[in-house]
Every structure is written in C-alpha cells, then in structure tokens.
C-alpha cells in the first residue's frame, strides 16, 4: 500500500469549511483513497473513499487531483463535534486484507 | 444491530499474567483486525484475518496470538503481559474478500489495557 503524508495538526473555525490535505505521491493506478476519523478515545469511523473522481456524501467531499498524487477531504461546515484525528489511507482494492493507518491529522474546530 | 463488540472495555493486568480480548461482529464480515493505539500515535495493526480459518501478522505481532474462532469472532491473546503492552486495543471488521476489498471497516469501541 502506498505511503501517505498528512500535516500533524490543523485548526478550523466553527461553521467554516475544513480542508484536510493528504499526499500520496506513490499511489498506484489500482489504489483507492480512504478517509477515516477518530473522535477522542472512540473507535475510528469511516468517512469516504474514492479512486479517481471526486466523491461526496452526507459527511464530506473528497477531491482527488488529476494525477492522483494528492487529495483533500472537505468538511463543508465544520462543527465542534468534528474535532478528531483524520486518517488518510491508500490501499489496493483487492489482494491483501491488510489495512494500515498512519499518524493522521488532528483537526481542532474552534468556537 | 450491535456492529463490532469488544470485551472487556477495561482491564488491569500484572506483568506476566495472560488474558484474551474478545471481539465479535454481527455483520457477516469476512475480514477482521486487531489494532493497538498508544498515546499520541496512530493505529498499528497487530494481526488480521482475511477470512475464517486464516490469520496473518500485521506491523506489531510480537507478544500476541490470535484465533479466528468462527466467522463472527476474532480473539487476541496476551500470553505473558508486559508493561509495553499497555495500550488501547481496537477490533475491526469489513466485508472484503481476497478479490474484493473495497469496503469500509467498522471498529469496536476499544479495550483499555493497563499492565502494571
């Protein structure tokens, strides 16, 4: 699985959009980009994933660059409850079941 | 629908004691995972099971053993606990098979283990 790089921490004002970047410059053509988050002391929670096209669901939007070497998770209207560690994961959609996490980004939403 | 259930939620062990962490999922998932998380760090994969009857080492398997008892249950055993195994342990499951893994993982709420 390709390695990802995320900033260790970010701040965002409540009600504003939070844009969390992820670099995955060694991504392969058959690897998906996944985002999870972990709210303090709880189990991680799936947010969204994508391959090439931008994706949107009720929680967030995922923007993947055309060369697929980086992506951005967007929380359109961040709330205090979005304060969490956000993990970007790149993995192949088949072969191994292995699922590994990096350090993630601590997002703090401020009032 | 309980999802992924871990027991116990909290445990204190003395060095050298053994114990088994239990994990069960009711979503008919094929793959199950055990992670540990230490303060200020991300999740590290200990062991995983791609399907019933198979297990594989993850990033940090030393000091642990696992059993995929059936499709629902995946247990993690510490044979001789050490203070370095003080951590929060998370179990997860997902539907993926070896040829189709593009599905989200669901996590339990964690087991907080302290070894003194």
């Amino acid at each position: 699985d390709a390695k990802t790089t995320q900033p260790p921490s970010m701040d965002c004002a409540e009600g504003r959009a939070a844009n969390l970047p992820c670099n995955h410059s060694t991504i392969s053509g058959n690897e998906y980009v996944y985002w999870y988050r972990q709210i303090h002391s709880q189990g991680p929670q799936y947010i969204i994933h994508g391959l090439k096209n931008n994706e949107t669901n009720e929680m967030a939007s995922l923007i993947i660059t055309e060369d697929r070497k980086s992506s951005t998770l967007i929380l359109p209207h961040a709330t205090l409850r979005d304060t969490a560690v956000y993990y970007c994961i790149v993995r192949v959609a088949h072969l191994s079941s292995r699922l590994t996490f990096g350090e993630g980004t601590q997002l703090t939403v401020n009032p | 629908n309980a999802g992924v259930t871990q027991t116990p939620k909290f445990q204190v062990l003395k060095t050298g004691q053994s114990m088994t962490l239990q994990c069960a999922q009711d979503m008919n998932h094929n793959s199950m995972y055990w992670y540990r998380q230490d303060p200020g760090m991300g999740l590290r994969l200990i062991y995983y099971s791609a399907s019933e009857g198979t297990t594989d080492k993850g990033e940090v398997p030393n000091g642990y053993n696992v059993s995929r008892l059936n499709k629902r249950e995946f247990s993690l055993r510490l044979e001789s606990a050490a203070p370095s195994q003080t951590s929060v342990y998370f179990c997860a499951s997902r539907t993926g098979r070896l040829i189709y893994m593009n599905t989200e993982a669901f996590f339990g709420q964690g087991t907080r283990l302290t070894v003194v």
Side-chain angles (χ1 to χ4, degrees), chain A residues 20-82:
Chain A
L20 292 92
C22 180
N23 182 288
H24 31 81
S25 58
T26 60
I27 192 170
S28 300
N30 60 351
E31 290 182 311
Y32 286 71
V33 181
Y34 283 80
W35 284 84
Y36 286 79
R37 74 179 182 184
Q38 186 176 24
I39 296 171
H40 180 63
S41 299
Q42 298 182 21
Q45 175 190 24
Y46 165 82
I47 302 173
I48 198 168
H49 75 276
L51 181 62
K52 296 180 183 177
N53 300 321
N54 298 337
E55 302 288 344
T56 296
N57 63 20
E58 64 278 5
M59 290 182 68
S61 294
L62 174 61
I63 308 298
I64 302 173
T65 58
E66 191 169 346
D67 62 7
R68 302 187 70 241
K69 296 188 178 200
S70 65
S71 61
T72 301
L73 178 75
I74 301 173
L75 308 178
H77 304 287
T79 70
L80 298 179
R81 287 176 292 183
D82 291 323

Short mmCIF file of all heavy atoms in Angstrom, two decimals, chain A residues 20-82:
data_model
loop_
_atom_site.label_atom_id
_atom_site.label_comp_id
_atom_site.label_asym_id
_atom_site.label_seq_id
_atom_site.Cartn_x
_atom_site.Cartn_y
_atom_site.Cartn_z
N LEU A 20 -8.67 19.21 4.63
CA LEU A 20 -7.57 18.39 5.14
C LEU A 20 -6.82 17.76 3.97
O LEU A 20 -7.40 16.96 3.23
CB LEU A 20 -8.10 17.31 6.08
CG LEU A 20 -8.68 17.80 7.39
CD1 LEU A 20 -10.18 18.04 7.30
CD2 LEU A 20 -8.37 16.81 8.50
N PRO A 21 -5.54 18.08 3.83
CA PRO A 21 -4.78 17.55 2.69
C PRO A 21 -4.13 16.22 3.01
O PRO A 21 -3.84 15.89 4.16
CB PRO A 21 -3.71 18.63 2.48
CG PRO A 21 -3.45 19.14 3.86
CD PRO A 21 -4.77 19.06 4.60
N CYS A 22 -3.86 15.47 1.94
CA CYS A 22 -3.13 14.21 2.05
C CYS A 22 -2.29 14.03 0.80
O CYS A 22 -2.78 14.19 -0.31
CB CYS A 22 -4.10 13.04 2.21
SG CYS A 22 -3.30 11.43 2.37
N ASN A 23 -1.02 13.74 1.02
CA ASN A 23 -0.13 13.49 -0.10
C ASN A 23 0.10 12.00 -0.24
O ASN A 23 0.42 11.32 0.75
CB ASN A 23 1.21 14.22 0.13
CG ASN A 23 2.16 14.03 -1.04
OD1 ASN A 23 2.70 12.96 -1.24
ND2 ASN A 23 2.33 15.09 -1.81
N HIS A 24 -0.08 11.48 -1.43
CA HIS A 24 0.15 10.05 -1.71
C HIS A 24 0.81 9.94 -3.07
O HIS A 24 0.23 9.37 -4.00
CB HIS A 24 -1.14 9.23 -1.61
CG HIS A 24 -2.39 9.96 -2.00
ND1 HIS A 24 -2.78 10.14 -3.31
CD2 HIS A 24 -3.33 10.55 -1.23
CE1 HIS A 24 -3.91 10.82 -3.33
NE2 HIS A 24 -4.28 11.08 -2.09
N SER A 25 2.02 10.46 -3.16
CA SER A 25 2.69 10.61 -4.45
C SER A 25 3.06 9.27 -5.09
O SER A 25 3.32 9.22 -6.29
CB SER A 25 3.93 11.49 -4.31
OG SER A 25 4.81 10.93 -3.35
N THR A 26 3.11 8.19 -4.30
CA THR A 26 3.49 6.89 -4.86
C THR A 26 2.28 6.01 -5.14
O THR A 26 2.42 4.80 -5.34
CB THR A 26 4.45 6.16 -3.92
OG1 THR A 26 3.80 5.96 -2.64
CG2 THR A 26 5.72 6.96 -3.71
N ILE A 27 1.12 6.60 -5.19
CA ILE A 27 -0.11 5.82 -5.38
C ILE A 27 -0.08 5.11 -6.73
O ILE A 27 0.41 5.63 -7.73
CB ILE A 27 -1.34 6.75 -5.27
CG1 ILE A 27 -2.63 5.92 -5.18
CG2 ILE A 27 -1.39 7.73 -6.43
CD1 ILE A 27 -3.85 6.75 -4.82
N SER A 28 -0.61 3.89 -6.72
CA SER A 28 -0.71 3.11 -7.95
C SER A 28 -2.10 3.25 -8.55
O SER A 28 -3.04 3.69 -7.88
CB SER A 28 -0.43 1.63 -7.66
OG SER A 28 0.85 1.46 -7.13
N GLY A 29 -2.21 2.83 -9.80
CA GLY A 29 -3.47 3.02 -10.51
C GLY A 29 -4.65 2.28 -9.92
O GLY A 29 -5.80 2.70 -10.10
N ASN A 30 -4.40 1.20 -9.19
CA ASN A 30 -5.49 0.41 -8.63
C ASN A 30 -5.69 0.65 -7.13
O ASN A 30 -6.35 -0.13 -6.46
CB ASN A 30 -5.25 -1.07 -8.88
CG ASN A 30 -3.96 -1.55 -8.25
OD1 ASN A 30 -3.16 -0.75 -7.77
ND2 ASN A 30 -3.74 -2.84 -8.23
N GLU A 31 -5.12 1.70 -6.61
CA GLU A 31 -5.25 2.02 -5.19
C GLU A 31 -6.31 3.10 -4.95
O GLU A 31 -6.34 4.11 -5.65
CB GLU A 31 -3.92 2.46 -4.60
CG GLU A 31 -2.93 1.32 -4.49
CD GLU A 31 -1.62 1.73 -3.86
OE1 GLU A 31 -1.06 2.75 -4.30
OE2 GLU A 31 -1.17 1.04 -2.94
N TYR A 32 -7.13 2.86 -3.95
CA TYR A 32 -8.16 3.79 -3.56
C TYR A 32 -7.66 4.68 -2.43
O TYR A 32 -6.79 4.29 -1.65
CB TYR A 32 -9.40 3.03 -3.07
CG TYR A 32 -10.20 2.39 -4.17
CD1 TYR A 32 -9.73 1.28 -4.86
CD2 TYR A 32 -11.46 2.89 -4.51
CE1 TYR A 32 -10.48 0.69 -5.86
CE2 TYR A 32 -12.21 2.31 -5.49
CZ TYR A 32 -11.72 1.21 -6.17
OH TYR A 32 -12.47 0.64 -7.16
N VAL A 33 -8.27 5.84 -2.31
CA VAL A 33 -8.01 6.74 -1.19
C VAL A 33 -9.19 6.65 -0.23
O VAL A 33 -10.34 6.85 -0.62
CB VAL A 33 -7.85 8.20 -1.66
CG1 VAL A 33 -7.57 9.09 -0.45
CG2 VAL A 33 -6.74 8.32 -2.69
N TYR A 34 -8.90 6.32 1.03
CA TYR A 34 -9.91 6.23 2.08
C TYR A 34 -9.64 7.30 3.14
O TYR A 34 -8.49 7.62 3.43
CB TYR A 34 -9.84 4.87 2.78
CG TYR A 34 -10.43 3.72 2.05
CD1 TYR A 34 -9.73 3.08 1.02
CD2 TYR A 34 -11.69 3.24 2.39
CE1 TYR A 34 -10.28 2.01 0.36
CE2 TYR A 34 -12.24 2.16 1.73
CZ TYR A 34 -11.55 1.55 0.72
OH TYR A 34 -12.09 0.49 0.07
N TRP A 35 -10.71 7.78 3.73
CA TRP A 35 -10.59 8.66 4.89
C TRP A 35 -11.41 8.09 6.05
O TRP A 35 -12.58 7.70 5.86
CB TRP A 35 -11.07 10.07 4.58
CG TRP A 35 -10.10 10.87 3.77
CD1 TRP A 35 -9.95 10.86 2.41
CD2 TRP A 35 -9.14 11.79 4.27
NE1 TRP A 35 -8.95 11.72 2.03
CE2 TRP A 35 -8.44 12.32 3.14
CE3 TRP A 35 -8.80 12.24 5.54
CZ2 TRP A 35 -7.42 13.26 3.27
CZ3 TRP A 35 -7.79 13.18 5.68
CH2 TRP A 35 -7.11 13.68 4.54
N TYR A 36 -10.77 8.06 7.23
CA TYR A 36 -11.43 7.71 8.47
C TYR A 36 -11.16 8.82 9.48
O TYR A 36 -10.22 9.59 9.33
CB TYR A 36 -10.85 6.41 9.05
CG TYR A 36 -11.26 5.15 8.34
CD1 TYR A 36 -10.64 4.78 7.15
CD2 TYR A 36 -12.24 4.33 8.86
CE1 TYR A 36 -11.01 3.62 6.48
CE2 TYR A 36 -12.62 3.16 8.21
CZ TYR A 36 -12.00 2.82 7.02
OH TYR A 36 -12.37 1.67 6.37
N ARG A 37 -11.97 8.86 10.51
CA ARG A 37 -11.66 9.78 11.60
C ARG A 37 -11.87 9.07 12.93
O ARG A 37 -12.63 8.11 13.04
CB ARG A 37 -12.51 11.03 11.53
CG ARG A 37 -13.98 10.86 11.93
CD ARG A 37 -14.70 12.19 11.86
NE ARG A 37 -16.09 12.10 12.28
CZ ARG A 37 -16.93 13.13 12.23
NH1 ARG A 37 -16.53 14.31 11.76
NH2 ARG A 37 -18.17 12.98 12.62
N GLN A 38 -11.20 9.59 13.95
CA GLN A 38 -11.29 9.02 15.29
C GLN A 38 -11.52 10.16 16.27
O GLN A 38 -10.63 10.99 16.48
CB GLN A 38 -10.02 8.25 15.64
CG GLN A 38 -10.11 7.52 16.95
CD GLN A 38 -8.88 6.69 17.23
OE1 GLN A 38 -7.80 6.96 16.72
NE2 GLN A 38 -9.04 5.67 18.06
N ILE A 39 -12.70 10.16 16.80
CA ILE A 39 -13.04 11.14 17.84
C ILE A 39 -12.51 10.59 19.15
O ILE A 39 -12.59 9.40 19.41
CB ILE A 39 -14.56 11.37 17.88
CG1 ILE A 39 -15.00 11.99 16.56
CG2 ILE A 39 -14.95 12.25 19.05
CD1 ILE A 39 -16.49 12.09 16.37
N HIS A 40 -12.04 11.46 19.98
CA HIS A 40 -11.30 11.11 21.19
C HIS A 40 -11.75 9.82 21.86
O HIS A 40 -12.88 9.68 22.27
CB HIS A 40 -11.40 12.27 22.19
CG HIS A 40 -10.67 12.00 23.46
ND1 HIS A 40 -9.29 11.82 23.50
CD2 HIS A 40 -11.10 11.84 24.73
CE1 HIS A 40 -8.93 11.59 24.76
NE2 HIS A 40 -10.00 11.60 25.52
N SER A 41 -10.82 8.84 21.90
CA SER A 41 -10.99 7.59 22.63
C SER A 41 -12.01 6.64 22.03
O SER A 41 -12.23 5.56 22.56
CB SER A 41 -11.37 7.85 24.10
OG SER A 41 -10.36 8.58 24.73
N GLN A 42 -12.64 7.03 20.94
CA GLN A 42 -13.61 6.14 20.30
C GLN A 42 -12.94 5.34 19.18
O GLN A 42 -11.82 5.65 18.77
CB GLN A 42 -14.78 6.93 19.72
CG GLN A 42 -15.59 7.68 20.76
CD GLN A 42 -16.74 8.41 20.12
OE1 GLN A 42 -17.19 8.09 19.03
NE2 GLN A 42 -17.25 9.42 20.82
N GLY A 43 -13.64 4.33 18.68
CA GLY A 43 -13.14 3.60 17.53
C GLY A 43 -13.20 4.45 16.28
O GLY A 43 -14.08 5.32 16.15
N PRO A 44 -12.27 4.27 15.33
CA PRO A 44 -12.31 5.04 14.08
C PRO A 44 -13.61 4.83 13.33
O PRO A 44 -14.25 3.80 13.42
CB PRO A 44 -11.11 4.49 13.31
CG PRO A 44 -10.19 3.98 14.36
CD PRO A 44 -11.09 3.42 15.43
N GLN A 45 -13.96 5.86 12.54
CA GLN A 45 -15.20 5.87 11.79
C GLN A 45 -14.90 6.16 10.33
O GLN A 45 -14.16 7.10 10.02
CB GLN A 45 -16.12 6.95 12.37
CG GLN A 45 -17.41 7.17 11.62
CD GLN A 45 -18.14 8.42 12.10
OE1 GLN A 45 -17.54 9.34 12.64
NE2 GLN A 45 -19.45 8.44 11.89
N TYR A 46 -15.46 5.36 9.44
CA TYR A 46 -15.28 5.59 8.01
C TYR A 46 -15.96 6.89 7.58
O TYR A 46 -17.06 7.21 8.05
CB TYR A 46 -15.89 4.41 7.25
CG TYR A 46 -16.10 4.64 5.77
CD1 TYR A 46 -15.06 4.48 4.88
CD2 TYR A 46 -17.35 5.01 5.29
CE1 TYR A 46 -15.26 4.67 3.52
CE2 TYR A 46 -17.56 5.20 3.93
CZ TYR A 46 -16.51 5.03 3.05
OH TYR A 46 -16.72 5.23 1.72
N ILE A 47 -15.31 7.64 6.69
CA ILE A 47 -15.92 8.87 6.18
C ILE A 47 -16.26 8.73 4.70
O ILE A 47 -17.41 8.89 4.30
CB ILE A 47 -14.96 10.08 6.36
CG1 ILE A 47 -14.60 10.27 7.82
CG2 ILE A 47 -15.61 11.35 5.80
CD1 ILE A 47 -13.53 11.33 8.05
N ILE A 48 -15.26 8.45 3.88
CA ILE A 48 -15.48 8.47 2.43
C ILE A 48 -14.31 7.79 1.75
O ILE A 48 -13.24 7.63 2.36
CB ILE A 48 -15.62 9.94 1.96
CG1 ILE A 48 -16.27 10.04 0.58
CG2 ILE A 48 -14.27 10.66 1.99
CD1 ILE A 48 -16.70 11.46 0.22
N HIS A 49 -14.45 7.37 0.51
CA HIS A 49 -13.34 6.88 -0.27
C HIS A 49 -13.57 7.17 -1.74
O HIS A 49 -14.70 7.46 -2.17
CB HIS A 49 -13.12 5.38 -0.03
CG HIS A 49 -14.12 4.48 -0.71
ND1 HIS A 49 -15.34 4.20 -0.15
CD2 HIS A 49 -14.06 3.81 -1.88
CE1 HIS A 49 -16.00 3.38 -0.93
NE2 HIS A 49 -15.26 3.13 -2.00
N GLY A 50 -12.49 7.09 -2.53
CA GLY A 50 -12.58 7.35 -3.96
C GLY A 50 -11.39 6.79 -4.71
O GLY A 50 -10.35 6.49 -4.11
N LEU A 51 -11.53 6.70 -6.02
CA LEU A 51 -10.46 6.20 -6.86
C LEU A 51 -9.88 7.30 -7.75
O LEU A 51 -8.71 7.61 -7.67
CB LEU A 51 -10.98 5.05 -7.74
CG LEU A 51 -9.97 4.41 -8.68
CD1 LEU A 51 -8.84 3.76 -7.88
CD2 LEU A 51 -10.65 3.38 -9.58
N LYS A 52 -10.71 7.88 -8.58
CA LYS A 52 -10.26 8.93 -9.49
C LYS A 52 -11.14 10.16 -9.39
O LYS A 52 -10.67 11.28 -9.34
CB LYS A 52 -10.29 8.43 -10.93
CG LYS A 52 -9.36 7.31 -11.25
CD LYS A 52 -9.50 6.91 -12.71
CE LYS A 52 -8.61 5.72 -13.04
NZ LYS A 52 -8.80 5.30 -14.45
N ASN A 53 -12.44 9.92 -9.39
CA ASN A 53 -13.38 11.03 -9.42
C ASN A 53 -13.59 11.61 -8.02
O ASN A 53 -13.39 10.93 -7.02
CB ASN A 53 -14.72 10.56 -9.98
CG ASN A 53 -14.59 10.03 -11.38
OD1 ASN A 53 -13.84 10.57 -12.18
ND2 ASN A 53 -15.31 8.96 -11.66
N ASN A 54 -14.01 12.85 -7.99
CA ASN A 54 -14.37 13.46 -6.71
C ASN A 54 -15.62 12.77 -6.18
O ASN A 54 -16.48 12.34 -6.95
CB ASN A 54 -14.61 14.95 -6.90
CG ASN A 54 -13.36 15.66 -7.38
OD1 ASN A 54 -12.24 15.19 -7.18
ND2 ASN A 54 -13.54 16.80 -8.02
N GLU A 55 -15.70 12.66 -4.88
CA GLU A 55 -16.82 11.99 -4.24
C GLU A 55 -17.43 12.88 -3.17
O GLU A 55 -16.72 13.68 -2.54
CB GLU A 55 -16.37 10.67 -3.60
CG GLU A 55 -15.73 9.68 -4.55
CD GLU A 55 -16.73 9.03 -5.49
OE1 GLU A 55 -17.94 9.11 -5.24
OE2 GLU A 55 -16.28 8.42 -6.50
N THR A 56 -18.72 12.72 -2.97
CA THR A 56 -19.41 13.47 -1.92
C THR A 56 -20.44 12.56 -1.26
O THR A 56 -21.11 11.79 -1.94
CB THR A 56 -20.14 14.71 -2.51
OG1 THR A 56 -19.16 15.60 -3.05
CG2 THR A 56 -20.92 15.44 -1.43
N ASN A 57 -20.51 12.67 0.06
CA ASN A 57 -21.60 12.01 0.78
C ASN A 57 -22.11 12.96 1.85
O ASN A 57 -21.75 14.15 1.85
CB ASN A 57 -21.15 10.66 1.34
CG ASN A 57 -20.04 10.77 2.37
OD1 ASN A 57 -19.81 11.83 2.96
ND2 ASN A 57 -19.33 9.68 2.57
N GLU A 58 -22.93 12.45 2.75
CA GLU A 58 -23.55 13.32 3.73
C GLU A 58 -22.56 13.87 4.75
O GLU A 58 -22.85 14.84 5.44
CB GLU A 58 -24.67 12.58 4.46
CG GLU A 58 -24.21 11.40 5.30
CD GLU A 58 -24.00 10.13 4.49
OE1 GLU A 58 -24.11 10.19 3.25
OE2 GLU A 58 -23.71 9.10 5.11
N MET A 59 -21.39 13.27 4.84
CA MET A 59 -20.41 13.73 5.81
C MET A 59 -19.39 14.69 5.22
O MET A 59 -18.97 15.65 5.88
CB MET A 59 -19.66 12.54 6.40
CG MET A 59 -20.47 11.66 7.31
SD MET A 59 -19.49 10.32 7.98
CE MET A 59 -18.36 11.21 9.04
N ALA A 60 -18.93 14.41 3.99
CA ALA A 60 -17.79 15.14 3.46
C ALA A 60 -17.70 15.02 1.95
O ALA A 60 -18.45 14.27 1.32
CB ALA A 60 -16.51 14.60 4.10
N SER A 61 -16.73 15.78 1.40
CA SER A 61 -16.38 15.66 0.00
C SER A 61 -14.91 15.28 -0.11
O SER A 61 -14.10 15.67 0.74
CB SER A 61 -16.61 16.97 -0.75
OG SER A 61 -17.99 17.30 -0.78
N LEU A 62 -14.59 14.51 -1.12
CA LEU A 62 -13.22 14.09 -1.37
C LEU A 62 -12.82 14.58 -2.75
O LEU A 62 -13.48 14.24 -3.75
CB LEU A 62 -13.10 12.57 -1.28
CG LEU A 62 -11.76 11.95 -1.67
CD1 LEU A 62 -10.65 12.47 -0.74
CD2 LEU A 62 -11.83 10.43 -1.60
N ILE A 63 -11.75 15.40 -2.79
CA ILE A 63 -11.24 15.92 -4.04
C ILE A 63 -9.90 15.25 -4.31
O ILE A 63 -8.98 15.35 -3.49
CB ILE A 63 -11.05 17.44 -3.98
CG1 ILE A 63 -12.33 18.13 -3.50
CG2 ILE A 63 -10.61 17.97 -5.35
CD1 ILE A 63 -13.51 17.93 -4.40
N ILE A 64 -9.79 14.56 -5.43
CA ILE A 64 -8.55 13.87 -5.80
C ILE A 64 -7.98 14.58 -7.02
O ILE A 64 -8.69 14.82 -8.00
CB ILE A 64 -8.82 12.38 -6.13
CG1 ILE A 64 -9.47 11.70 -4.92
CG2 ILE A 64 -7.53 11.68 -6.51
CD1 ILE A 64 -9.92 10.27 -5.20
N THR A 65 -6.70 14.94 -6.96
CA THR A 65 -6.08 15.64 -8.07
C THR A 65 -6.03 14.73 -9.30
O THR A 65 -6.09 13.50 -9.20
CB THR A 65 -4.67 16.10 -7.72
OG1 THR A 65 -3.88 14.96 -7.35
CG2 THR A 65 -4.70 17.10 -6.58
N GLU A 66 -5.88 15.36 -10.46
CA GLU A 66 -5.93 14.61 -11.71
C GLU A 66 -4.82 13.56 -11.78
O GLU A 66 -5.02 12.46 -12.30
CB GLU A 66 -5.82 15.57 -12.89
CG GLU A 66 -6.13 14.91 -14.23
CD GLU A 66 -6.28 15.92 -15.35
OE1 GLU A 66 -6.43 17.13 -15.05
OE2 GLU A 66 -6.23 15.50 -16.50
N ASP A 67 -3.63 13.89 -11.24
CA ASP A 67 -2.53 12.93 -11.25
C ASP A 67 -2.63 11.93 -10.08
O ASP A 67 -1.79 11.04 -9.96
CB ASP A 67 -1.18 13.62 -11.23
CG ASP A 67 -0.95 14.44 -9.97
OD1 ASP A 67 -1.78 14.38 -9.04
OD2 ASP A 67 0.05 15.17 -9.92
N ARG A 68 -3.62 12.11 -9.21
CA ARG A 68 -3.93 11.22 -8.08
C ARG A 68 -2.84 11.22 -7.02
O ARG A 68 -2.85 10.38 -6.14
CB ARG A 68 -4.19 9.80 -8.56
CG ARG A 68 -5.33 9.70 -9.55
CD ARG A 68 -5.66 8.26 -9.87
NE ARG A 68 -6.26 7.59 -8.73
CZ ARG A 68 -5.76 6.52 -8.12
NH1 ARG A 68 -4.63 5.98 -8.55
NH2 ARG A 68 -6.37 5.99 -7.09
N LYS A 69 -1.93 12.14 -7.06
CA LYS A 69 -0.84 12.14 -6.09
C LYS A 69 -1.20 12.85 -4.79
O LYS A 69 -0.43 12.83 -3.82
CB LYS A 69 0.41 12.77 -6.70
CG LYS A 69 0.94 11.96 -7.86
CD LYS A 69 2.27 12.45 -8.37
CE LYS A 69 2.73 11.52 -9.49
NZ LYS A 69 4.15 11.60 -9.74
N SER A 70 -2.33 13.49 -4.75
CA SER A 70 -2.78 14.10 -3.50
C SER A 70 -4.30 14.20 -3.51
O SER A 70 -4.94 14.08 -4.57
CB SER A 70 -2.17 15.48 -3.31
OG SER A 70 -2.62 16.36 -4.32
N SER A 71 -4.84 14.40 -2.32
CA SER A 71 -6.28 14.54 -2.20
C SER A 71 -6.59 15.48 -1.03
O SER A 71 -5.71 15.77 -0.20
CB SER A 71 -6.96 13.18 -1.98
OG SER A 71 -6.49 12.57 -0.80
N THR A 72 -7.82 15.95 -1.00
CA THR A 72 -8.27 16.83 0.07
C THR A 72 -9.63 16.38 0.55
O THR A 72 -10.54 16.16 -0.27
CB THR A 72 -8.37 18.30 -0.41
OG1 THR A 72 -7.09 18.72 -0.87
CG2 THR A 72 -8.83 19.21 0.72
N LEU A 73 -9.75 16.22 1.84
CA LEU A 73 -11.04 15.94 2.46
C LEU A 73 -11.64 17.27 2.88
O LEU A 73 -10.98 18.06 3.55
CB LEU A 73 -10.89 15.03 3.67
CG LEU A 73 -12.18 14.72 4.42
CD1 LEU A 73 -13.01 13.71 3.62
CD2 LEU A 73 -11.89 14.17 5.81
N ILE A 74 -12.88 17.50 2.50
CA ILE A 74 -13.54 18.76 2.83
C ILE A 74 -14.75 18.49 3.71
O ILE A 74 -15.66 17.74 3.33
CB ILE A 74 -13.98 19.51 1.55
CG1 ILE A 74 -12.78 19.80 0.67
CG2 ILE A 74 -14.70 20.82 1.92
CD1 ILE A 74 -13.12 20.38 -0.67
N LEU A 75 -14.74 19.10 4.89
CA LEU A 75 -15.93 19.13 5.75
C LEU A 75 -16.55 20.50 5.52
O LEU A 75 -15.99 21.51 5.96
CB LEU A 75 -15.55 18.94 7.21
CG LEU A 75 -14.68 17.74 7.54
CD1 LEU A 75 -14.35 17.70 9.03
CD2 LEU A 75 -15.37 16.45 7.13
N PRO A 76 -17.68 20.60 4.85
CA PRO A 76 -18.15 21.90 4.36
C PRO A 76 -18.51 22.91 5.45
O PRO A 76 -18.30 24.10 5.26
CB PRO A 76 -19.37 21.53 3.51
CG PRO A 76 -19.76 20.16 3.95
CD PRO A 76 -18.53 19.48 4.43
N HIS A 77 -19.06 22.44 6.54
CA HIS A 77 -19.44 23.36 7.63
C HIS A 77 -19.04 22.69 8.95
O HIS A 77 -19.84 22.02 9.58
CB HIS A 77 -20.95 23.63 7.61
CG HIS A 77 -21.45 24.15 6.31
ND1 HIS A 77 -21.20 25.44 5.89
CD2 HIS A 77 -22.15 23.55 5.31
CE1 HIS A 77 -21.75 25.61 4.68
NE2 HIS A 77 -22.33 24.48 4.32
N ALA A 78 -17.80 22.87 9.32
CA ALA A 78 -17.27 22.15 10.48
C ALA A 78 -17.98 22.55 11.77
O ALA A 78 -18.31 23.72 12.00
CB ALA A 78 -15.78 22.42 10.61
N THR A 79 -18.24 21.55 12.60
CA THR A 79 -18.81 21.79 13.92
C THR A 79 -17.82 21.32 14.97
O THR A 79 -16.84 20.64 14.67
CB THR A 79 -20.13 21.02 14.10
OG1 THR A 79 -19.84 19.62 14.18
CG2 THR A 79 -21.08 21.28 12.93
N LEU A 80 -18.10 21.66 16.22
CA LEU A 80 -17.20 21.27 17.32
C LEU A 80 -17.08 19.75 17.39
O LEU A 80 -16.04 19.21 17.78
CB LEU A 80 -17.72 21.83 18.64
CG LEU A 80 -17.81 23.35 18.74
CD1 LEU A 80 -18.35 23.76 20.11
CD2 LEU A 80 -16.45 24.00 18.48
N ARG A 81 -18.14 19.05 16.99
CA ARG A 81 -18.13 17.59 17.03
C ARG A 81 -17.24 16.97 15.95
O ARG A 81 -17.01 15.75 15.97
CB ARG A 81 -19.55 17.05 16.91
CG ARG A 81 -20.38 17.24 18.17
CD ARG A 81 -21.79 16.79 17.97
NE ARG A 81 -22.52 17.64 17.04
CZ ARG A 81 -23.81 17.49 16.74
NH1 ARG A 81 -24.49 16.49 17.26
NH2 ARG A 81 -24.39 18.32 15.90
N ASP A 82 -16.76 17.78 15.02
CA ASP A 82 -15.85 17.28 14.01
C ASP A 82 -14.40 17.28 14.50
O ASP A 82 -13.51 16.84 13.77
CB ASP A 82 -15.95 18.13 12.73
CG ASP A 82 -17.29 17.92 12.03
OD1 ASP A 82 -17.78 16.78 12.01
OD2 ASP A 82 -17.83 18.92 11.50
#
